[in-house]
PDB file of all heavy atoms in Angstrom:
ATOM      1  N   SER X  49     -16.291  23.640   3.387  1.00 85.00           N
ATOM      2  CA  SER X  49     -17.799  23.740   3.422  1.00 85.00           C
ATOM      3  C   SER X  49     -18.333  23.956   4.830  1.00 85.00           C
ATOM      4  O   SER X  49     -18.358  22.880   5.497  1.00 85.00           O
ATOM      5  CB  SER X  49     -18.511  22.613   2.675  1.00 85.00           C
ATOM      6  OG  SER X  49     -19.810  22.695   3.000  1.00 85.00           O
ATOM      7  N   LEU X  50     -18.753  25.091   5.314  1.00 89.00           N
ATOM      8  CA  LEU X  50     -19.179  25.357   6.661  1.00 89.00           C
ATOM      9  C   LEU X  50     -20.541  24.505   6.812  1.00 89.00           C
ATOM     10  O   LEU X  50     -20.574  23.899   8.024  1.00 89.00           O
ATOM     11  CB  LEU X  50     -19.342  26.886   7.000  1.00 89.00           C
ATOM     12  CG  LEU X  50     -19.864  27.245   8.359  1.00 89.00           C
ATOM     13  CD1 LEU X  50     -18.695  26.775   9.349  1.00 89.00           C
ATOM     14  CD2 LEU X  50     -20.110  28.737   8.426  1.00 89.00           C
ATOM     15  N   PRO X  51     -21.505  24.513   6.004  1.00 88.00           N
ATOM     16  CA  PRO X  51     -22.734  23.735   6.164  1.00 88.00           C
ATOM     17  C   PRO X  51     -22.306  22.238   6.451  1.00 88.00           C
ATOM     18  O   PRO X  51     -22.919  21.597   7.275  1.00 88.00           O
ATOM     19  CB  PRO X  51     -23.348  23.793   4.907  1.00 88.00           C
ATOM     20  CG  PRO X  51     -22.974  25.154   4.282  1.00 88.00           C
ATOM     21  CD  PRO X  51     -21.578  25.309   4.611  1.00 88.00           C
ATOM     22  N   ARG X  52     -21.223  21.705   5.803  1.00 86.00           N
ATOM     23  CA  ARG X  52     -21.005  20.314   6.033  1.00 86.00           C
ATOM     24  C   ARG X  52     -20.401  20.118   7.418  1.00 86.00           C
ATOM     25  O   ARG X  52     -20.674  19.116   8.113  1.00 86.00           O
ATOM     26  CB  ARG X  52     -19.845  19.900   4.979  1.00 86.00           C
ATOM     27  CG  ARG X  52     -20.420  19.340   3.699  1.00 86.00           C
ATOM     28  CD  ARG X  52     -19.439  18.655   2.828  1.00 86.00           C
ATOM     29  NE  ARG X  52     -19.952  17.950   1.762  1.00 86.00           N
ATOM     30  CZ  ARG X  52     -20.365  18.377   0.653  1.00 86.00           C
ATOM     31  NH1 ARG X  52     -20.322  19.765   0.484  1.00 86.00           N
ATOM     32  NH2 ARG X  52     -20.914  17.597  -0.288  1.00 86.00           N
ATOM     33  N   ILE X  53     -19.655  21.050   7.886  1.00 88.00           N
ATOM     34  CA  ILE X  53     -18.979  21.001   9.215  1.00 88.00           C
ATOM     35  C   ILE X  53     -20.142  21.093  10.295  1.00 88.00           C
ATOM     36  O   ILE X  53     -20.292  20.288  11.221  1.00 88.00           O
ATOM     37  CB  ILE X  53     -17.995  22.067   9.494  1.00 88.00           C
ATOM     38  CG1 ILE X  53     -16.778  21.923   8.569  1.00 88.00           C
ATOM     39  CG2 ILE X  53     -17.431  22.012  11.082  1.00 88.00           C
ATOM     40  CD1 ILE X  53     -15.689  22.940   8.534  1.00 88.00           C
ATOM     41  N   ILE X  54     -21.086  22.012   9.973  1.00 89.00           N
ATOM     42  CA  ILE X  54     -22.189  22.267  10.935  1.00 89.00           C
ATOM     43  C   ILE X  54     -23.034  20.938  10.971  1.00 89.00           C
ATOM     44  O   ILE X  54     -23.410  20.414  12.091  1.00 89.00           O
ATOM     45  CB  ILE X  54     -23.071  23.370  10.564  1.00 89.00           C
ATOM     46  CG1 ILE X  54     -22.261  24.735  10.828  1.00 89.00           C
ATOM     47  CG2 ILE X  54     -24.299  23.488  11.376  1.00 89.00           C
ATOM     48  CD1 ILE X  54     -22.861  25.904  10.327  1.00 89.00           C
ATOM     49  N   ASP X  55     -23.233  20.383   9.781  1.00 86.00           N
ATOM     50  CA  ASP X  55     -24.015  19.110   9.741  1.00 86.00           C
ATOM     51  C   ASP X  55     -23.373  17.957  10.492  1.00 86.00           C
ATOM     52  O   ASP X  55     -24.045  17.199  11.259  1.00 86.00           O
ATOM     53  CB  ASP X  55     -24.235  18.768   8.219  1.00 86.00           C
ATOM     54  CG  ASP X  55     -25.108  17.497   8.011  1.00 86.00           C
ATOM     55  OD1 ASP X  55     -26.132  17.496   8.496  1.00 86.00           O
ATOM     56  OD2 ASP X  55     -24.541  16.510   7.550  1.00 86.00           O
ATOM     57  N   LEU X  56     -22.025  17.945  10.463  1.00 87.00           N
ATOM     58  CA  LEU X  56     -21.368  16.957  11.134  1.00 87.00           C
ATOM     59  C   LEU X  56     -21.573  17.012  12.723  1.00 87.00           C
ATOM     60  O   LEU X  56     -21.612  16.019  13.458  1.00 87.00           O
ATOM     61  CB  LEU X  56     -19.938  16.882  10.752  1.00 87.00           C
ATOM     62  CG  LEU X  56     -19.440  16.251   9.393  1.00 87.00           C
ATOM     63  CD1 LEU X  56     -18.057  16.564   9.216  1.00 87.00           C
ATOM     64  CD2 LEU X  56     -19.836  14.829   9.269  1.00 87.00           C
ATOM     65  N   ILE X  57     -21.462  18.250  13.182  1.00 89.00           N
ATOM     66  CA  ILE X  57     -21.704  18.575  14.537  1.00 89.00           C
ATOM     67  C   ILE X  57     -23.080  18.560  15.056  1.00 89.00           C
ATOM     68  O   ILE X  57     -23.321  18.076  16.197  1.00 89.00           O
ATOM     69  CB  ILE X  57     -20.943  19.924  14.907  1.00 89.00           C
ATOM     70  CG1 ILE X  57     -19.430  19.860  14.524  1.00 89.00           C
ATOM     71  CG2 ILE X  57     -21.044  20.228  16.378  1.00 89.00           C
ATOM     72  CD1 ILE X  57     -18.737  21.199  14.565  1.00 89.00           C
ATOM     73  N   TYR X  58     -23.951  18.951  14.203  1.00 89.00           N
ATOM     74  CA  TYR X  58     -25.322  19.243  14.619  1.00 89.00           C
ATOM     75  C   TYR X  58     -26.018  18.003  15.233  1.00 89.00           C
ATOM     76  O   TYR X  58     -26.519  17.908  16.317  1.00 89.00           O
ATOM     77  CB  TYR X  58     -26.116  19.769  13.430  1.00 89.00           C
ATOM     78  CG  TYR X  58     -27.620  19.941  13.642  1.00 89.00           C
ATOM     79  CD1 TYR X  58     -28.139  21.052  14.503  1.00 89.00           C
ATOM     80  CD2 TYR X  58     -28.562  18.955  13.038  1.00 89.00           C
ATOM     81  CE1 TYR X  58     -29.544  21.083  14.685  1.00 89.00           C
ATOM     82  CE2 TYR X  58     -29.871  19.218  13.218  1.00 89.00           C
ATOM     83  CZ  TYR X  58     -30.299  20.133  14.174  1.00 89.00           C
ATOM     84  OH  TYR X  58     -31.723  20.354  14.257  1.00 89.00           O
ATOM     85  N   TRP X  59     -25.972  16.909  14.404  1.00 86.00           N
ATOM     86  CA  TRP X  59     -26.787  15.685  14.749  1.00 86.00           C
ATOM     87  C   TRP X  59     -26.180  15.068  16.044  1.00 86.00           C
ATOM     88  O   TRP X  59     -27.147  14.695  16.990  1.00 86.00           O
ATOM     89  CB  TRP X  59     -26.809  14.551  13.608  1.00 86.00           C
ATOM     90  CG  TRP X  59     -27.718  15.161  12.452  1.00 86.00           C
ATOM     91  CD1 TRP X  59     -27.237  15.548  11.294  1.00 86.00           C
ATOM     92  CD2 TRP X  59     -29.043  15.383  12.499  1.00 86.00           C
ATOM     93  NE1 TRP X  59     -28.182  16.108  10.525  1.00 86.00           N
ATOM     94  CE2 TRP X  59     -29.484  15.953  11.216  1.00 86.00           C
ATOM     95  CE3 TRP X  59     -30.072  15.128  13.472  1.00 86.00           C
ATOM     96  CZ2 TRP X  59     -30.675  16.236  10.842  1.00 86.00           C
ATOM     97  CZ3 TRP X  59     -31.378  15.491  13.148  1.00 86.00           C
ATOM     98  CH2 TRP X  59     -31.675  16.094  11.913  1.00 86.00           C
ATOM     99  N   PRO X  60     -24.989  14.888  16.191  1.00 87.00           N
ATOM    100  CA  PRO X  60     -24.540  14.318  17.476  1.00 87.00           C
ATOM    101  C   PRO X  60     -24.942  15.091  18.674  1.00 87.00           C
ATOM    102  O   PRO X  60     -25.243  14.635  19.789  1.00 87.00           O
ATOM    103  CB  PRO X  60     -22.978  14.310  17.308  1.00 87.00           C
ATOM    104  CG  PRO X  60     -22.772  14.226  15.883  1.00 87.00           C
ATOM    105  CD  PRO X  60     -23.774  15.008  15.225  1.00 87.00           C
ATOM    106  N   SER X  61     -24.804  16.457  18.530  1.00 89.00           N
ATOM    107  CA  SER X  61     -25.163  17.378  19.543  1.00 89.00           C
ATOM    108  C   SER X  61     -26.727  17.224  20.005  1.00 89.00           C
ATOM    109  O   SER X  61     -27.100  17.236  21.165  1.00 89.00           O
ATOM    110  CB  SER X  61     -24.906  18.818  19.113  1.00 89.00           C
ATOM    111  OG  SER X  61     -23.572  18.881  18.918  1.00 89.00           O
ATOM    112  N   VAL X  62     -27.453  17.072  18.882  1.00 89.00           N
ATOM    113  CA  VAL X  62     -29.023  16.948  19.104  1.00 89.00           C
ATOM    114  C   VAL X  62     -29.229  15.646  19.927  1.00 89.00           C
ATOM    115  O   VAL X  62     -30.021  15.591  20.901  1.00 89.00           O
ATOM    116  CB  VAL X  62     -29.709  16.945  17.740  1.00 89.00           C
ATOM    117  CG1 VAL X  62     -31.087  16.416  17.993  1.00 89.00           C
ATOM    118  CG2 VAL X  62     -29.744  18.283  17.170  1.00 89.00           C
ATOM    119  N   GLN X  63     -28.391  14.646  19.555  1.00 85.00           N
ATOM    120  CA  GLN X  63     -28.532  13.328  20.160  1.00 85.00           C
ATOM    121  C   GLN X  63     -28.286  13.588  21.780  1.00 85.00           C
ATOM    122  O   GLN X  63     -28.929  13.012  22.583  1.00 85.00           O
ATOM    123  CB  GLN X  63     -27.587  12.326  19.653  1.00 85.00           C
ATOM    124  CG  GLN X  63     -27.921  11.725  18.295  1.00 85.00           C
ATOM    125  CD  GLN X  63     -28.995  10.604  18.484  1.00 85.00           C
ATOM    126  OE1 GLN X  63     -30.176  10.903  18.823  1.00 85.00           O
ATOM    127  NE2 GLN X  63     -28.473   9.372  18.409  1.00 85.00           N
ATOM    128  N   ILE X  64     -27.112  14.302  21.985  1.00 86.00           N
ATOM    129  CA  ILE X  64     -26.759  14.573  23.414  1.00 86.00           C
ATOM    130  C   ILE X  64     -27.898  15.275  24.191  1.00 86.00           C
ATOM    131  O   ILE X  64     -28.210  14.878  25.347  1.00 86.00           O
ATOM    132  CB  ILE X  64     -25.481  15.333  23.333  1.00 86.00           C
ATOM    133  CG1 ILE X  64     -24.222  14.629  22.784  1.00 86.00           C
ATOM    134  CG2 ILE X  64     -25.250  15.675  24.883  1.00 86.00           C
ATOM    135  CD1 ILE X  64     -23.962  13.258  23.451  1.00 86.00           C
ATOM    136  N   PHE X  65     -28.572  16.227  23.555  1.00 86.00           N
ATOM    137  CA  PHE X  65     -29.548  16.945  24.230  1.00 86.00           C
ATOM    138  C   PHE X  65     -30.815  16.011  24.388  1.00 86.00           C
ATOM    139  O   PHE X  65     -31.203  15.882  25.615  1.00 86.00           O
ATOM    140  CB  PHE X  65     -29.982  18.086  23.244  1.00 86.00           C
ATOM    141  CG  PHE X  65     -29.246  19.399  23.544  1.00 86.00           C
ATOM    142  CD1 PHE X  65     -28.286  19.790  22.695  1.00 86.00           C
ATOM    143  CD2 PHE X  65     -29.407  20.100  24.846  1.00 86.00           C
ATOM    144  CE1 PHE X  65     -27.535  20.888  22.782  1.00 86.00           C
ATOM    145  CE2 PHE X  65     -28.621  21.239  24.860  1.00 86.00           C
ATOM    146  CZ  PHE X  65     -27.717  21.637  23.963  1.00 86.00           C
ATOM    147  N   LEU X  66     -31.153  15.230  23.445  1.00 87.00           N
ATOM    148  CA  LEU X  66     -32.343  14.392  23.621  1.00 87.00           C
ATOM    149  C   LEU X  66     -32.038  13.249  24.733  1.00 87.00           C
ATOM    150  O   LEU X  66     -32.849  13.162  25.697  1.00 87.00           O
ATOM    151  CB  LEU X  66     -32.536  13.769  22.277  1.00 87.00           C
ATOM    152  CG  LEU X  66     -33.718  12.773  22.253  1.00 87.00           C
ATOM    153  CD1 LEU X  66     -35.066  13.470  22.330  1.00 87.00           C
ATOM    154  CD2 LEU X  66     -33.820  12.066  20.824  1.00 87.00           C
TER     155      LEU X  66
END
Side-chain angles (χ1 to χ4, degrees):
Chain X
S49 167
L50 187 62
R52 272 190 169 80
I53 296 172
I54 292 171
D55 182 58
L56 286 175
I57 298 170
Y58 173 76
W59 290 110
S61 301
V62 167
Q63 284 277 77
I64 295 301
F65 274 103
L66 179 66

